[in-house]
Amino acid sequence: MFGSVVGVVERALAGFDPAAVPLASAESSWLELDRIERLVAGAKVRLAVRVEEAGGWERAGRRSA
């Protein structure tokens, strides 16, 4: 479902060198990455119930989803 998004992020961050980010762009770049992180974290929270319902975690012997 999100494979193409993962690929885009992987390509965008391949060889990412924070030292190469101009100081004038550092804060805005950090804010963009923070936004991406928050969007993904929110999606994971919303998906957690479905992961628990699927039960794969239990079959794999993990203590929780």
Side-chain angles (χ1 to χ4, degrees), residues 1-32:
M1 177 175 220
F2 295 106
S4 62
V5 174
V6 171
V8 168
V9 172
E10 286 175 337
R11 286 188 297 281
L13 296 177
F16 175 65
D17 179 8
V21 176
L23 291 177
S25 302
E27 185 176 359
S28 63
S29 296
W30 188 92
L31 289 170
E32 289 172 342

